[in-house]
Amino acid sequence: MTAPQATKSAPRKRPAPKIRENLPAPQTAEGQLFHYTPYEAAPWTPYSGRTLTDMIARREIDYVFNGRDNYLTGAQIVALVERYTVKPYSKPARAAA
């Protein structure tokens, strides 16, 4: 008689996040109040959907919570991009003597 073999279960895979089609751009009038998931907002930001999700969990950025899910409005996406945009440096003009 042989001992039973230990079995290893396969790691659980998370389903891919669902991304809706034909979303309005955050800069448009319609997009300003539209609610995007972090994965839907990612193409307009310098971050991935996972990074945005982590930033929301750490409360580093503004977001909308509807009691179950986290969303970003178009206005919040635009503000996030502006917050992390590096402006070019310009020398101050010399004071006239």
Side-chain angles (χ1 to χ4, degrees), residues 36-59:
Y36 303 86
T37 65
Y39 288 91
E40 293 170 343
W44 286 290
T45 66
Y47 302 107
S48 68
R50 177 58 194 222
T51 302
L52 288 173
T53 302
D54 291 343
M55 291 172 79
I56 289 171
R58 292 189 303 261
R59 291 173 173 56

Side-chain angles (χ1 to χ4, degrees), residues 55-88:
M55 291 172 79
I56 289 171
R58 292 189 303 261
R59 291 173 173 56
E60 293 177 2
I61 58 175
D62 294 335
Y63 66 97
V64 176
F65 180 67
N66 72 351
R68 181 180 140 195
D69 297 318
N70 298 319
Y71 293 101
L72 295 165
T73 63
Q76 290 169 332
I77 294 169
V78 170
L80 177 68
V81 171
E82 289 175 1
R83 178 177 164 188
Y84 291 102
T85 299
V86 177
K87 307 285 186 206

